Amino acid sequence: MEGSPLQLVSLVYTQIHVEPTAHVPASSEFDSLSLNCNVGFGELPDQGDDPRDYTVEVRLWVSDDQVREHRFPYHLDMGARGHFRIAPGLDASRRKTIVEINGASLLVGAIRDMVTTLTARSVHGPVTLPTLRFIPESEE
């Protein structure tokens, strides 16, 4: 095993909203739930010609329509921002894709964990959100 060329330097939650609905969940399986997700990406300033520090932001929410359609037990709107560092020597042409895909995946994993933790003590019990897959722009 070896370390990833992408390292998470810091993570903060920019938005945390988890509120129980009036719906009593039929089950804890929500695989067909369609999550809304926005991803933002950027280089940190003042890095010269060889940028290695990046920020990724993810917002993940469940629309009111999805709450009703799937009898999802929580109104949910979460956001996280991560500061990432790329290992020296990594080809500059690969950096953007690695940061966007892996960075967004790490942040969504952290959000999923936070949602499970918060809902574990809530009235409808714990919810684990479906896993997401991020696809590079070149494969869309």
Side-chain angles (χ1 to χ4, degrees):
M1 180 171 58
E2 64 182 52
S4 171
L6 180 68
Q7 292 296 312
L8 176 61
V9 176
S10 66
L11 169 108
V12 294
Y13 291 96
T14 57
Q15 183 167 328
I16 299 174
H17 179 89
V18 178
E19 180 183 352
T21 66
H23 304 135
V24 177
S27 73
S28 60
E29 298 291 324
F30 297 102
D31 291 337
S32 62
L33 182 71
S34 180
L35 297 172
N36 296 294
C37 185
N38 285 344
V39 177
F41 159 86
E43 296 175 6
L44 292 179
D46 303 322
Q47 296 188 73
D49 294 337
D50 189 30
R52 293 183 36 233
D53 289 301
Y54 297 85
T55 184
V56 177
E57 291 198 41
V58 171
R59 179 177 171 225
L60 195 63
W61 74 99
V62 178
S63 70
D64 289 340
D65 290 340
Q66 288 289 304
V67 167
R68 282 189 297 278
E69 181 181 335
H70 294 280
R71 298 183 52 80
F72 191 70
Y74 298 97
H75 293 284
L76 174 73
D77 196 346
M78 301 285 292
R81 179 175 46 243
H83 169 194
F84 293 90
R85 183 164 293 137
I86 286 281
L90 185 69
D91 182 13
S93 67
R94 297 181 50 212
R95 291 179 187 179
K96 180 180 181 213
T97 300
I98 288 173
V99 173
E100 284 183 317
I101 302 303
N102 294 356
S105 297
L106 283 164
L107 294 181
V108 167
I111 289 172
R112 290 179 70 235
D113 183 64
M114 179 62 81
V115 167
T116 301
T117 299
L118 292 170
T119 57
R121 290 287 199 185
S122 193
V123 56
H124 297 309
V127 167
T128 301
L129 297 175
T131 304
L132 300 181
R133 177 175 175 236
F134 293 94
I135 301 169
E137 287 179 5
S138 61
E139 294 179 24
E140 288 182 334

